[in-house]
Amino acid sequence: MLANATPRFKPDGSFAGYIGIFTDITERKEIEHSFELFKIIAENAIDPFILMREDGSFKYLNEAALEKWGYTEEEARTLKVPDVDTVFDLEGFRELFKEAQKNSIPLFETTHINKQGETYPVEVTLTGITLGGKAYMHAIARDISERRKAENLLMASELRFRLLAEQSPVWVWMADTGLNVEYANGQMLNYIGLSDLSQFLGKVWQDVVHPDDLPVIVKTFQEASQSREPFEYEHRVKEAATGEYNWFHIRAVPRYEDDKLAGYIGTGVNIDDQKAFTRKLEDEVAERTKALAESNKVLGEMNKELEAFAYISSHDLQEPLRKIQTFSSQIMSLDFENLTDKSKDKFNRMQQAAERMQALIQDLLAYSRTSTEERNFERTDLAELAEQVTGTLQEELEAQDARIVIGELPTAPVIPFQFQQLLFNLISNSLKFRSPDRTPEIHIEGTVIKGKKLNHNKAEPESEYCCIMVRDNGIGFEQKYADRIFEVFQRLHPKDRYIGTGIGLSIVKKIVENHNGVISASSEEGQGTEFRICIPLSQN
């Protein structure tokens, strides 16, 4: 109740009491209470809360509304809706106001303007309400400037995508997670004989893909959708103009909407010509491989025949050679004094020629054996093997006052007899080409390195190799002859100064090849030579 009282006085002017009126204000209090609750909710809202009268003036504006528009509470009392909204005039607003009292108003967008004259888009929710018997309209206005910018960017991006896609010489397409086509560019539509995108939406694509390829497409797409990974595959598509199937290479990447997989966007490139070329190339390679295999077979048989011929010939040559040496030795021992000086010289030269012939036959036999012998690898202490070879050459070493220094050598898988022959030939070579100005000295040492350090195309980069270095202080040679010295019958020096057959280093190279290794020589004339042999530590 609301009490209003007025003092009452007697005729003589003295105070006599009060006369009052009591008014029931229950309804007013309820209205005030409702309005206070409305204000509490409004003041805690992040969006502008607006309470409007039918004449377009504002009953209430929360802080968010005042801040957004840039007005003080005092200034806002004189404002009306057209002052802050560029779309509505008073007449239009009143019609909307009346409608809101009867029906719900759908969410809509309009444009607000602040005190500085800056406009921005808003999304408005309107509701008609009654407070104290009076009709009002409540509005919540959300600024959607950022959303509008994002939408504009998306639209611009979509437009750029479509412009680029339509100009692209390759297929461009989009499909949802159910493999339903949502977009295909002009190149794709032209190929399959359609004039409008609407004719190709959904699963129409299944009608133009080769039936044998459908399971591959479905499986690939399902697996990619589950893993959310890009994918690519090849399939055949029928060309409308010819009715023939051409091969296409398809690539696609996932696309997302609101962090959810929406489908895939991809391209398609006609690779039918490449496929045809590849098939032709494969046929040619298969044909040439077959021809090469046949040639290799013939060559292998010829090599076997040649090796057998060399071996048999060498054996057959030794018998008459032994007879020549025997008879000449008998003549030299029994009838030498009866010969003329000229005949003695001829017999001496004949014996020397026979000795050279014998050495050549023995070297030919050794070279032939390196190709025909079975390759049985054994893990061998190379230092011990080097000591054995040195012992075999002891007389020659003492005769030339030569010195051999054997350093650290690893254990490696080798064919013992062949590797012994290799070291024998290299040491003999160093003794043969010793320098007349200094005592012969030969160093043998080894190490283990990775294949990538060999700088050789035959070496496996990550495999380990055992490398043996044989270094001397002999006469050396010009480095440009480093490859030539390993060829059969190749000599860098006249045979009357340095005896030999020209096969020794060829045998060394053959043995290294039998061990799947590589050999090189580095030298300088007058400064000695170093041979470097590298073989795998693991032999298959």
Side-chain angles (χ1 to χ4, degrees):
M1 300 294 285
L2 176 65
N4 289 310
T6 304
R8 183 169 59 84
F9 299 94
K10 296 178 181 180
D12 61 2
S14 62
F15 177 71
Y18 284 92
I19 183 170
I21 299 173
F22 289 92
T23 307
D24 187 350
I25 59 170
T26 302
E27 185 178 352
R28 193 177 83 185
K29 282 292 183 182
E30 289 176 355
I31 292 171
E32 289 177 354
H33 179 67
S34 298
F35 188 63
E36 287 302 320
L37 288 176
F38 174 83
K39 287 178 66 176
I40 290 170
I41 295 171
E43 291 304 328
N44 286 285
I46 59 173
D47 291 321
F49 266 51
I50 307 162
L51 195 61
M52 297 166 283
R53 302 182 184 92
E54 187 176 1
D55 64 357
S57 62
F58 300 104
K59 166 71 174 175
Y60 169 78
L61 296 171
N62 70 348
E63 286 297 326
L66 293 170
E67 183 179 345
K68 199 70 182 172
W69 291 341
Y71 292 103
T72 64
E73 189 173 352
E74 185 68 26
E75 291 172 329
R77 289 195 183 100
T78 62
L79 295 176
K80 289 193 176 182
V81 170
D83 296 322
V84 293
D85 193 303
T86 63
V87 175
F88 288 100
D89 55 19
L90 284 176
E91 184 179 350
F93 172 76
R94 289 191 185 102
E95 290 177 4
L96 186 63
F97 186 95
K98 291 175 182 177
E99 181 66 24
Q101 307 308 312
K102 297 181 289 183
N103 303 305
S104 61
I105 304 297
L107 186 73
F108 66 92
E109 293 180 9
T110 185
T111 303
H112 280 186
I113 182 169
N114 61 21
K115 185 178 178 180
Q116 289 72 37
E118 299 167 338
T119 59
Y120 57 94
V122 291
E123 188 176 70
V124 178
T125 303
L126 285 181
T127 307
I129 62 173
T130 302
L131 293 174
K134 290 186 178 182
Y136 296 95
M137 188 158 65
H138 168 237
I140 301 173
R142 173 164 294 174
D143 186 346
I144 57 171
S145 299
E146 293 303 317
R147 191 177 78 188
R148 185 63 59 80
K149 287 179 184 177
E151 289 172 350
N152 290 338
L153 287 173
L154 184 61
M155 288 175 63
S157 176
E158 177 77 9
L159 179 61
R160 284 196 298 271
F161 163 75
R162 290 185 179 266
L163 286 172
L164 287 172
E166 291 305 320
Q167 295 298 318
S168 173
V170 303
W171 290 0
V172 180
W173 54 270
M174 285 194 298
D176 64 15
T177 53
L179 249 179
N180 296 294
V181 171
E182 295 179 341
Y183 171 77
N185 71 341
Q187 280 284 347
M188 192 171 184
L189 295 175
N190 290 338
Y191 179 86
I192 57 183
L194 298 177
S195 58
D196 190 86
L197 175 61
S198 61
Q199 299 172 289
F200 194 58
L201 299 179
K203 287 188 165 57
V204 178
W205 60 269
Q206 294 180 347
D207 299 333
V208 295
V209 170
H210 196 288
D212 293 346
D213 298 337
L214 284 172
V216 176
I217 297 172
V218 173
K219 182 183 177 185
T220 303
F221 196 89
Q222 288 175 345
E223 290 176 351
S225 296
Q226 290 173 0
S227 63
R228 299 193 172 191
E229 292 291 328
F231 67 84
E232 59 181 290
Y233 60 86
E234 295 174 359
H235 71 237
R236 289 160 289 182
V237 184
K238 185 187 288 186
E239 185 177 10
T242 63
E244 295 180 353
Y245 286 95
N246 288 329
W247 281 97
F248 281 80
H249 187 91
I250 305 298
R251 284 190 178 93
V253 294
R255 59 188 181 89
Y256 295 88
E257 291 178 7
D258 298 327
D259 295 328
K260 291 182 180 178
L261 182 67
Y264 277 80
I265 179 169
T267 60
V269 179
N270 192 324
I271 58 168
D272 205 66
D273 289 342
Q274 292 94 311
K275 279 278 188 181
F277 177 76
T278 301
R279 285 193 296 269
K280 183 181 177 183
L281 192 62
E282 286 173 350
D283 291 343
E284 289 179 357
V285 169
E287 211 173 299
R288 291 181 184 179
T289 301
K290 183 180 178 182
L292 184 61
E294 291 174 356
S295 298
N296 285 340
K297 183 180 178 182
V298 172
L299 185 61
E301 291 171 354
M302 290 175 65
N303 281 338
K304 287 180 181 178
E305 291 175 1
L306 187 60
E307 288 164 1
F309 174 77
Y311 189 77
I312 292 168
S313 297
S314 299
H315 275 79
D316 291 346
L317 284 171
Q318 288 192 84
E319 180 58 30
L321 181 62
R322 276 195 294 270
K323 287 182 179 179
I324 293 172
Q325 289 177 313
T326 300
F327 292 149
S328 65
S329 294
Q330 289 176 355
I331 292 172
M332 291 290 286
S333 60
L334 298 175
D335 300 319
F336 188 73
E337 295 301 328
N338 298 326
L339 298 174
T340 64
D341 291 341
K342 191 173 182 180
S343 296
K344 289 178 182 179
D345 178 61
K346 288 181 178 180
F347 265 99
N348 282 325
R349 291 168 63 185
M350 182 179 68
Q351 280 191 313
Q352 291 172 3
E355 288 172 359
R356 288 197 301 272
M357 184 66 177
Q358 186 177 36
L360 178 59
I361 291 171
Q362 288 173 347
D363 282 348
L364 282 170
L365 283 170
Y367 187 78
S368 176
R369 279 197 296 270
T370 58
S371 299
T372 58
E373 283 181 340
E374 188 176 353
R375 300 178 189 179
N376 294 319
F377 291 91
E378 298 177 16
R379 291 199 67 79
T380 305
D381 185 338
L382 297 183
E384 186 177 322
L385 196 67
E387 292 288 357
Q388 292 174 7
V389 174
T390 301
T392 305
L393 291 166
Q394 192 62 40
E395 290 183 9
E396 287 89 339
L397 292 170
E398 290 176 355
Q400 297 183 32
D401 196 24
R403 177 171 174 258
I404 292 185
V405 179
I406 300 175
E408 289 189 12
L409 286 168
T411 297
V414 298
I415 305 168
F417 172 78
Q418 288 192 10
F419 222 78
Q420 195 173 37
Q421 181 74 53
L422 177 146
L423 291 174
F424 183 91
N425 285 13
L426 288 176
I427 295 171
S428 298
N429 189 77
S430 294
L431 293 174
K432 182 194 300 184
F433 295 105
R434 65 189 178 277
S435 172
D437 303 326
R438 48 186 174 267
T439 300
E441 192 168 291
I442 303 167
H443 291 260
I444 305 173
E445 58 190 0
T447 186
V448 175
I449 63 171
K450 287 282 189 182
K452 59 188 175 185
K453 292 187 177 180
L454 293 180
N455 295 322
H456 198 284
N457 58 359
K458 290 185 179 179
E460 294 290 335
E462 297 305 318
S463 297
E464 290 189 320
Y465 284 75
C466 167
C467 290
I468 301 103
M469 281 69 73
V470 179
R471 185 175 66 256
D472 63 45
N473 62 347
I475 61 173
F477 58 84
E478 291 184 54
Q479 187 61 32
K480 65 182 179 180
Y481 298 120
D483 293 327
R484 180 181 165 187
I485 61 172
F486 296 110
E487 297 175 11
V488 180
F489 302 127
Q490 290 297 318
R491 307 174 65 94
L492 300 184
H493 307 283
K495 63 180 180 180
D496 58 339
R497 289 183 57 192
Y498 297 97
I499 61 171
T501 61
I503 299 178
L505 291 180
S506 300
I507 293 172
V508 169
K509 183 182 180 183
K510 189 70 175 176
I511 292 171
V512 173
E513 289 173 349
N514 288 348
H515 285 74
N516 305 307
V518 294
I519 184 170
S520 61
S522 57
S523 184
E524 186 178 343
E525 201 165 12
Q527 300 299 317
T529 302
E530 178 179 283
F531 290 94
R532 191 184 194 216
I533 301 102
C534 295
I535 60 173
L537 271 183
S538 176
Q539 295 284 1
N540 297 325

